[in-house]
Amino acid sequence: MNLWKRRNPEKWAERRRKALAALGLYLDDLLLVSGGVCLVAAAALRWGAAAGLATAGGFLILFSVLTARAGRR
């Protein structure tokens, strides 16, 4: 008995496609959050804590809008 033989290659291909789509979405969100952190840190260093907090608030609003739009697909 060959345990490595795939019984249903179409099923595995569909699972692989879904997993890669989820990974791509996760990495996309991670990149967006990392960019926001860099912007907030730069604003705080250049103009102070108030500008850093304002940048963080604006970024969170933008991220919530993008997340809501992605959820409607």
Side-chain angles (χ1 to χ4, degrees):
M1 180 173 175
N2 187 359
L3 296 176
W4 297 104
K5 185 176 181 182
R6 291 190 178 140
R7 295 180 188 258
N8 192 350
E10 294 85 18
K11 182 179 171 183
W12 285 101
E14 181 67 21
R15 282 185 182 176
R16 187 179 315 117
R17 186 188 63 77
K18 286 182 180 180
L20 287 175
L23 178 65
L25 184 62
Y26 169 74
L27 291 177
D28 215 20
D29 289 346
L30 186 63
L31 183 63
L32 183 64
V33 169
S34 300
V37 168
C38 290
L39 285 174
V40 169
L45 285 174
R46 175 65 177 99
W47 292 290
L53 290 172
T55 305
F59 178 74
L60 289 174
I61 290 170
L62 174 69
F63 189 66
S64 67
V65 169
L66 291 176
T67 303
R69 289 188 72 200
R72 285 187 281 190
R73 288 185 184 183

XYZ file of all heavy atoms in Angstrom:
554
model
N 0.842 -1.178 0.000
C 0.000 0.000 0.000
C 0.888 1.244 0.000
O 1.753 1.412 0.841
C -0.880 -0.017 1.242
C -1.791 1.145 1.347
S -2.871 0.831 2.768
C -3.730 2.302 2.830
N 0.648 2.123 -0.936
C 1.428 3.341 -1.076
C 0.697 4.483 -0.358
O -0.348 4.942 -0.806
C 1.615 3.667 -2.559
C 2.553 4.826 -2.758
O 3.054 5.393 -1.799
N 2.788 5.166 -4.004
N 1.264 4.922 0.756
C 0.628 5.977 1.539
C 0.827 7.359 0.919
O 0.127 8.304 1.266
C 1.168 5.975 2.968
C 0.857 4.725 3.784
C 1.523 4.814 5.136
C -0.634 4.551 3.932
N 1.775 7.505 0.021
C 2.090 8.796 -0.572
C 1.274 9.081 -1.822
O 1.322 10.173 -2.356
C 3.572 8.880 -0.908
C 4.405 8.777 0.323
C 5.109 7.702 0.741
C 4.581 9.775 1.313
N 5.718 7.951 1.932
C 5.416 9.238 2.305
C 4.121 11.078 1.471
C 5.789 9.956 3.424
C 4.507 11.777 2.583
C 5.328 11.219 3.547
N 0.542 8.100 -2.293
C -0.242 8.282 -3.501
C -1.464 9.145 -3.202
O -2.201 8.893 -2.258
C -0.691 6.919 -4.041
C -1.397 7.012 -5.356
C -1.724 5.624 -5.875
C -2.422 5.729 -7.204
N -2.793 4.416 -7.721
N -1.670 10.145 -4.005
C -2.821 11.022 -3.823
C -4.031 10.405 -4.511
O -3.996 10.093 -5.688
C -2.544 12.397 -4.409
C -1.510 13.143 -3.639
C -1.440 14.570 -4.103
N -0.473 15.281 -3.306
C 0.370 16.165 -3.804
N 0.344 16.459 -5.066
N 1.221 16.763 -3.013
N -5.090 10.301 -3.762
C -6.292 9.690 -4.313
C -7.090 10.684 -5.155
O -7.731 10.296 -6.106
C -7.168 9.161 -3.190
C -6.514 8.036 -2.442
C -7.416 7.544 -1.332
N -6.703 6.581 -0.507
C -6.878 5.278 -0.598
N -7.712 4.775 -1.466
N -6.197 4.472 0.185
N -7.075 11.938 -4.781
C -7.866 12.936 -5.490
C -7.009 14.189 -5.717
O -7.021 15.107 -4.911
C -9.116 13.270 -4.674
C -10.113 14.065 -5.468
O -9.826 14.530 -6.562
N -11.296 14.244 -4.909
N -6.286 14.263 -6.838
C -5.395 15.416 -7.054
C -6.144 16.737 -7.209
O -5.627 17.789 -6.844
C -4.642 15.064 -8.331
C -5.260 13.857 -8.895
C -6.173 13.268 -7.881
N -7.374 16.714 -7.706
C -8.141 17.952 -7.851
C -8.483 18.550 -6.481
O -8.462 19.762 -6.301
C -9.445 17.701 -8.625
C -9.233 17.304 -10.070
C -8.996 15.815 -10.242
O -9.331 15.046 -9.314
O -8.449 15.430 -11.285
N -8.783 17.685 -5.541
C -9.091 18.139 -4.184
C -7.879 18.805 -3.554
O -7.985 19.875 -2.930
C -9.541 16.944 -3.353
C -9.929 17.253 -1.941
C -10.372 15.968 -1.235
C -10.563 16.170 0.229
N -10.918 14.912 0.903
N -6.708 18.204 -3.730
C -5.479 18.783 -3.171
C -5.127 20.097 -3.860
O -4.649 21.037 -3.225
C -4.323 17.798 -3.285
C -4.424 16.700 -2.283
C -4.858 15.432 -2.492
C -4.112 16.793 -0.896
N -4.839 14.716 -1.329
C -4.378 15.532 -0.323
C -3.641 17.806 -0.075
C -4.184 15.265 1.020
C -3.438 17.537 1.260
C -3.713 16.283 1.787
N -5.363 20.173 -5.170
C -5.078 21.412 -5.897
C -5.986 22.542 -5.408
O -5.541 23.687 -5.265
C -5.255 21.194 -7.394
N -7.248 22.232 -5.144
C -8.176 23.237 -4.632
C -7.780 23.695 -3.233
O -7.811 24.897 -2.926
C -9.596 22.661 -4.612
C -10.647 23.623 -4.115
C -10.870 24.789 -5.046
O -10.527 24.696 -6.240
O -11.376 25.820 -4.580
N -7.373 22.771 -2.386
C -6.906 23.138 -1.039
C -5.659 24.013 -1.106
O -5.525 24.980 -0.365
C -6.594 21.888 -0.226
C -7.793 21.200 0.311
C -7.375 20.059 1.196
N -8.515 19.337 1.702
C -8.437 18.247 2.431
N -7.257 17.749 2.751
N -9.519 17.639 2.844
N -4.744 23.652 -1.994
C -3.507 24.429 -2.154
C -3.825 25.841 -2.633
O -3.258 26.824 -2.157
C -2.578 23.729 -3.135
C -1.213 24.375 -3.224
C -0.280 23.663 -4.194
N -0.296 22.224 -4.058
C -0.701 21.381 -5.023
N -1.146 21.847 -6.158
N -0.665 20.089 -4.836
N -4.764 25.967 -3.579
C -5.133 27.273 -4.106
C -5.747 28.141 -3.007
O -5.409 29.318 -2.866
C -6.129 27.103 -5.250
C -6.462 28.416 -5.948
C -7.582 28.248 -6.944
N -8.830 27.848 -6.336
C -9.647 28.670 -5.653
N -9.329 29.922 -5.485
N -10.778 28.226 -5.138
N -6.627 27.571 -2.184
C -7.237 28.320 -1.093
C -6.210 28.730 -0.045
O -6.253 29.844 0.480
C -8.344 27.496 -0.447
C -9.592 27.408 -1.280
C -10.670 26.624 -0.565
C -11.926 26.534 -1.399
N -12.979 25.775 -0.723
N -5.273 27.835 0.256
C -4.237 28.148 1.245
C -3.335 29.268 0.750
O -2.978 30.177 1.513
C -3.421 26.904 1.568
N -2.972 29.241 -0.517
C -2.124 30.296 -1.069
C -2.857 31.633 -1.118
O -2.255 32.678 -0.900
C -1.619 29.903 -2.450
C -0.549 28.817 -2.471
C -0.213 28.427 -3.900
C 0.696 29.274 -1.735
N -4.155 31.601 -1.395
C -4.935 32.841 -1.394
C -4.997 33.440 0.013
O -4.856 34.653 0.189
C -6.338 32.579 -1.931
N -5.196 32.597 1.007
C -5.237 33.080 2.390
C -3.877 33.619 2.818
O -3.794 34.655 3.492
C -5.680 31.960 3.329
N -2.813 32.943 2.433
C -1.466 33.421 2.769
C -1.187 34.755 2.099
O -0.612 35.662 2.715
C -0.422 32.384 2.346
C 1.032 32.760 2.600
C 1.293 32.883 4.092
C 1.954 31.754 1.962
N -1.597 34.897 0.859
C -1.404 36.166 0.155
C -2.149 37.301 0.823
O -1.628 38.416 0.954
N -3.368 37.041 1.264
C -4.148 38.064 1.951
C -3.499 38.442 3.281
O -3.417 39.616 3.634
C -5.576 37.570 2.182
C -6.547 38.552 2.806
C -6.727 39.769 1.906
C -7.884 37.880 3.043
N -3.010 37.456 4.009
C -2.333 37.711 5.283
C -1.082 38.567 5.063
O -0.845 39.537 5.788
C -1.972 36.388 5.952
C -1.050 36.545 7.127
C -1.515 37.040 8.334
C 0.298 36.211 7.024
C -0.674 37.202 9.416
C 1.144 36.365 8.095
C 0.661 36.860 9.281
O 1.504 37.020 10.342
N -0.283 38.209 4.069
C 0.944 38.961 3.811
C 0.631 40.369 3.337
O 1.354 41.318 3.663
C 1.812 38.226 2.792
C 2.427 36.925 3.284
C 3.201 36.256 2.152
C 3.315 37.146 4.482
N -0.437 40.543 2.588
C -0.858 41.864 2.144
C -1.231 42.745 3.335
O -0.825 43.904 3.421
C -2.061 41.701 1.216
C -2.079 42.702 0.099
O -1.023 43.267 -0.204
O -3.165 42.901 -0.477
N -2.006 42.186 4.263
C -2.384 42.933 5.468
C -1.163 43.245 6.334
O -1.055 44.333 6.894
C -3.401 42.155 6.292
C -4.766 42.111 5.629
O -4.989 42.894 4.694
O -5.589 41.286 6.051
N -0.260 42.297 6.438
C 0.953 42.506 7.231
C 1.797 43.637 6.650
O 2.331 44.469 7.390
C 1.768 41.212 7.288
C 2.986 41.197 8.194
C 2.564 41.397 9.644
C 3.730 39.893 8.031
N 1.878 43.703 5.339
C 2.625 44.776 4.690
C 1.971 46.130 4.940
O 2.654 47.120 5.215
C 2.722 44.497 3.186
C 3.525 45.467 2.355
C 4.985 45.459 2.797
C 3.423 45.108 0.893
N 0.643 46.174 4.886
C -0.067 47.426 5.138
C 0.135 47.896 6.573
O 0.406 49.078 6.818
C -1.557 47.245 4.844
C -2.430 48.478 4.981
C -2.027 49.537 3.972
C -3.874 48.094 4.780
N 0.045 46.996 7.520
C 0.240 47.361 8.929
C 1.678 47.815 9.169
O 1.921 48.801 9.873
C -0.142 46.183 9.850
C 0.299 46.437 11.272
C -1.634 45.947 9.790
N 2.634 47.132 8.578
C 4.041 47.523 8.738
C 4.297 48.912 8.170
O 5.031 49.710 8.764
C 4.944 46.513 8.036
O 4.778 45.239 8.580
N 3.687 49.207 7.041
C 3.822 50.545 6.464
C 3.232 51.611 7.374
O 3.806 52.697 7.529
N 2.108 51.306 7.993
C 1.494 52.251 8.929
C 2.358 52.499 10.148
O 2.488 53.628 10.621
N 2.976 51.444 10.649
C 3.857 51.586 11.811
C 5.043 52.484 11.458
O 5.432 53.359 12.254
C 4.337 50.206 12.300
C 5.469 50.329 13.297
C 3.177 49.435 12.896
N 5.588 52.301 10.285
C 6.717 53.142 9.860
C 6.295 54.608 9.719
O 7.045 55.517 10.118
C 7.285 52.638 8.535
S 8.136 51.070 8.682
N 5.117 54.849 9.166
C 4.645 56.229 9.036
C 4.414 56.879 10.393
O 4.761 58.045 10.607
C 3.348 56.265 8.220
C 3.497 56.065 6.720
C 2.121 55.967 6.077
C 4.284 57.195 6.114
N 3.830 56.148 11.307
C 3.574 56.684 12.647
C 4.894 56.987 13.365
O 5.048 58.040 13.989
C 2.711 55.707 13.469
C 2.659 56.110 14.926
C 1.310 55.625 12.879
N 5.846 56.072 13.267
C 7.141 56.291 13.917
C 7.858 57.497 13.318
O 8.441 58.310 14.053
C 8.000 55.039 13.793
N 7.797 57.640 12.003
C 8.453 58.780 11.353
C 7.798 60.098 11.757
O 8.497 61.091 12.017
C 8.412 58.608 9.835
N 6.475 60.122 11.819
C 5.788 61.353 12.221
C 6.096 61.698 13.672
O 6.286 62.869 14.010
C 4.277 61.198 12.017
N 6.148 60.688 14.524
C 6.446 60.948 15.936
C 7.873 61.454 16.114
O 8.115 62.344 16.939
C 6.222 59.680 16.757
N 8.791 60.915 15.367
C 10.180 61.368 15.478
C 10.357 62.783 14.933
O 11.116 63.581 15.491
C 11.104 60.412 14.731
C 11.375 59.077 15.412
C 12.186 58.176 14.478
C 12.107 59.278 16.713
N 9.671 63.092 13.848
C 9.887 64.384 13.195
C 9.108 65.509 13.872
O 9.633 66.590 14.095
C 9.491 64.267 11.716
C 9.554 65.544 10.929
C 10.997 66.049 10.835
N 11.081 67.235 10.028
C 11.139 68.467 10.521
N 11.141 68.657 11.814
N 11.217 69.489 9.732
N 7.803 65.260 14.173
C 6.955 66.340 14.657
C 6.437 66.142 16.074
O 5.684 66.973 16.568
C 5.779 66.544 13.709
C 6.216 67.087 12.382
C 6.697 68.336 12.138
C 6.212 66.401 11.139
N 7.000 68.461 10.804
C 6.708 67.289 10.163
C 5.845 65.133 10.742
C 6.837 66.935 8.835
C 5.977 64.777 9.414
C 6.466 65.678 8.482
N 6.737 65.042 16.707
C 6.324 64.848 18.094
C 5.198 63.840 18.260
O 4.691 63.264 17.302
N 4.816 63.655 19.514
C 3.832 62.622 19.862
C 2.449 62.931 19.295
O 1.733 62.016 18.875
C 3.749 62.479 21.374
N 2.057 64.191 19.272
C 0.726 64.534 18.765
C 0.597 64.167 17.283
O -0.424 63.623 16.853
C 0.449 66.012 18.964
N 1.624 64.446 16.518
C 1.579 64.097 15.095
C 1.598 62.580 14.907
O 0.935 62.048 14.013
C 2.761 64.728 14.361
N 2.332 61.886 15.764
C 2.354 60.427 15.685
C 0.999 59.826 15.979
O 0.540 58.901 15.292
N 0.306 60.366 16.992
C -1.029 59.875 17.320
C -2.034 60.219 16.224
O -2.923 59.413 15.911
C -1.490 60.439 18.658
C -0.759 59.888 19.883
C -1.174 60.660 21.130
C -1.033 58.416 20.045
N -1.914 61.388 15.633
C -2.809 61.760 14.539
C -2.590 60.859 13.331
O -3.553 60.431 12.678
C -2.590 63.222 14.157
N -1.352 60.561 13.054
C -1.047 59.650 11.949
C -1.581 58.257 12.236
O -2.138 57.599 11.355
C 0.479 59.591 11.718
O 0.971 60.919 11.519
C 0.814 58.769 10.505
N -1.445 57.796 13.461
C -1.965 56.479 13.825
C -3.480 56.432 13.680
O -4.041 55.450 13.178
C -1.559 56.139 15.257
N -4.168 57.488 14.109
C -5.622 57.538 13.969
C -6.060 57.523 12.518
O -6.989 56.810 12.137
N -5.382 58.306 11.704
C -5.702 58.317 10.271
C -5.444 56.981 9.622
O -6.237 56.505 8.789
N -4.353 56.343 9.996
C -4.042 55.026 9.441
C -5.071 53.991 9.868
O -5.492 53.153 9.068
C -2.645 54.585 9.873
C -2.292 53.224 9.370
C -1.972 53.031 8.048
C -2.312 52.136 10.218
C -1.667 51.768 7.580
C -2.012 50.881 9.760
C -1.683 50.690 8.429
N -5.513 54.029 11.126
C -6.517 53.074 11.588
C -7.850 53.264 10.881
O -8.538 52.290 10.551
C -6.690 53.178 13.100
C -5.520 52.644 13.923
C -5.745 52.940 15.387
C -5.338 51.156 13.692
N -8.226 54.496 10.606
C -9.452 54.752 9.856
C -9.321 54.201 8.441
O -10.227 53.531 7.934
C -9.768 56.258 9.842
C -10.182 56.724 11.234
C -10.853 56.588 8.821
C -10.282 58.222 11.380
N -8.191 54.450 7.798
C -7.961 53.938 6.452
C -7.976 52.414 6.432
O -8.602 51.801 5.560
C -6.616 54.446 5.916
C -6.174 53.873 4.573
C -7.078 54.379 3.471
C -4.741 54.230 4.301
N -7.339 51.796 7.401
C -7.296 50.333 7.456
C -8.685 49.749 7.696
O -9.035 48.726 7.125
C -6.325 49.876 8.545
C -6.065 48.402 8.518
C -5.404 47.825 7.454
C -6.485 47.589 9.552
C -5.165 46.460 7.416
C -6.250 46.233 9.528
C -5.586 45.663 8.456
N -9.497 50.408 8.517
C -10.853 49.901 8.761
C -11.707 50.015 7.497
O -12.511 49.113 7.207
C -11.501 50.632 9.923
O -11.727 51.982 9.591
N -11.541 51.070 6.733
C -12.280 51.215 5.473
C -11.854 50.126 4.479
O -12.693 49.499 3.829
C -12.076 52.626 4.883
C -12.597 52.713 3.457
C -12.753 53.646 5.753
N -10.562 49.906 4.366
C -10.073 48.870 3.453
C -10.522 47.485 3.873
O -10.880 46.651 3.037
C -8.547 48.917 3.361
C -7.963 50.134 2.662
C -6.432 50.097 2.737
C -8.419 50.217 1.232
N -10.548 47.227 5.170
C -10.996 45.923 5.668
C -12.490 45.742 5.395
O -12.922 44.655 5.001
C -10.722 45.800 7.171
O -9.331 46.014 7.406
C -11.111 44.453 7.697
N -13.271 46.781 5.574
C -14.709 46.688 5.310
C -14.977 46.452 3.823
O -15.850 45.660 3.463
C -15.400 47.963 5.760
N -14.215 47.097 2.976
C -14.395 46.894 1.538
C -13.993 45.488 1.121
O -14.626 44.884 0.268
C -13.572 47.915 0.743
C -14.134 49.313 0.838
C -13.441 50.251 -0.087
N -13.853 49.935 -1.448
C -13.165 50.305 -2.529
N -12.044 50.965 -2.384
N -13.581 49.997 -3.716
N -12.942 44.956 1.744
C -12.502 43.602 1.405
C -13.506 42.560 1.888
O -13.663 41.517 1.265
C -11.136 43.318 2.023
N -14.219 42.845 2.976
C -15.203 41.916 3.489
C -16.444 41.804 2.630
O -17.168 40.819 2.688
N -16.699 42.802 1.792
C -17.880 42.775 0.941
C -17.685 41.947 -0.310
O -18.620 41.688 -1.024
C -18.255 44.195 0.528
C -18.906 44.958 1.647
C -19.399 46.268 1.164
N -18.243 47.174 1.101
C -18.326 48.469 0.898
N -19.490 49.008 0.705
N -17.255 49.222 0.882
N -16.476 41.536 -0.606
C -16.212 40.757 -1.831
C -16.722 39.374 -1.723
O -16.817 38.713 -0.821
C -14.727 40.713 -2.126
C -14.214 42.040 -2.600
C -12.784 41.903 -2.987
N -12.262 43.194 -3.363
C -11.065 43.378 -3.798
N -10.255 42.377 -3.913
N -10.647 44.562 -4.125
